[in-house]
Amino acid sequence: MKKFILLFILIPSISIAGSMNMMGEKGDPAEVVKIIKVKMYDNYYEPSEFKIKKNQTIKFIVHNYGELVHEFNISTTEMHLKHQPEMMKMVENEILLVDRIDKKKMKELSKKDHSMSHTHTNSVLLEPNETAEIIWKFNTDAKLEAACNVPGHYEAGMIAKINNI
Ligand SMILES: [Cu+2]
């Protein structure tokens, strides 16, 4: 019986650690070799492609020039698709509005449901005119892309390719 309980506790943490490692990891500010400025519009990024060498640590400075809320999320296609229902849930709970994030509501609901907190090290969710930074270490061979998982935006093509050079 004890073994069963242990398994249930271990499985989720292993799968999270595995997927994060596959995507790279939060970078050390002292190791940043390149700063890339990313502009977010409705519904696309500028630039729409990044050339990055394996093991480089990159600082992304992301600004939302659009009129809608946008996300900049570094991940695999598979993880983006997994993340999208979470974002839909934020819309259903009226945390994620078209041009605003209800941060008070987000804080309240995230006490009950952690997926509502949207505090992932690989992503930022920005209101119009907001700026944020992500420092990411690309120590992975996985095919990554930056994308916006606000419902409808990924489908509209709000994706920036990340190419290993
Ligand atoms: Cu978007």
Side-chain angles (χ1 to χ4, degrees):
M1 196 60 198
K2 253 189 182 162
K3 244 182 191 170
F4 272 107
I5 294 165
L6 200 66
L7 264 178
F8 278 114
I9 296 166
L10 283 176
I11 287 169
S13 54
I14 288 169
S15 68
I16 291 164
S19 63
M20 287 307 277
N21 197 28
M22 192 178 81
M23 288 163 12
E25 62 189 22
K26 190 177 185 222
D28 178 349
E31 289 177 11
V32 170
V33 294
K34 192 157 73 173
I35 296 172
I36 298 177
K37 287 189 175 168
V38 183
K39 297 174 182 175
M40 302 203 285
Y41 296 98
D42 312 322
N43 293 321
Y44 61 94
Y45 297 108
E46 228 180 74
S48 61
E49 189 184 346
F50 310 115
K51 291 188 171 77
I52 287 157
K53 284 188 187 132
K54 194 182 170 185
N55 291 320
Q56 276 184 334
T57 298
I58 309 290
K59 183 200 265 191
F60 295 92
I61 302 174
V62 186
H63 184 84
N64 187 357
Y65 287 92
E67 290 178 0
L68 310 171
V69 171
H70 292 295
E71 185 193 36
F72 181 82
N73 183 321
I74 301 165
S75 200
T76 59
T77 305
E78 194 193 5
M79 290 302 289
H80 283 305
L81 297 178
K82 272 191 192 164
H83 180 48
Q84 284 168 15
E86 266 178 39
M87 297 289 273
M88 188 54 95
K89 222 162 128 188
M90 288 175 72
V91 172
E92 283 163 4
N93 282 298
E94 294 176 320
I95 290 172
L96 181 53
L97 308 167
V98 174
D99 60 354
R100 203 166 61 82
I101 303 157
D102 191 333
K103 284 165 187 159
K104 207 176 142 201
K105 207 173 213 178
M106 185 193 263
K107 214 174 168 187
E108 275 166 32
L109 282 174
S110 65
K111 284 177 197 157
K112 287 177 253 168
D113 182 348
H114 278 295
S115 71
M116 293 294 102
S117 68
H118 208 274
T119 48
H120 306 288
T121 53
N122 63 323
S123 76
V124 289
L125 185 63
L126 301 179
E127 289 181 353
N129 291 315
E130 282 187 322
T131 305
E133 292 179 4
I134 293 183
I135 297 175
W136 200 250
K137 184 168 187 172
F138 290 86
N139 52 349
T140 173
D141 288 315
K143 206 168 162 13
L144 300 176
E145 59 188 23
C148 174
N149 293 301
V150 170
H153 295 197
Y154 190 86
E155 293 85 338
M158 196 160 179
I159 302 165
K161 283 181 200 155
I162 299 174
N163 291 322
N164 258 314
I165 57 164

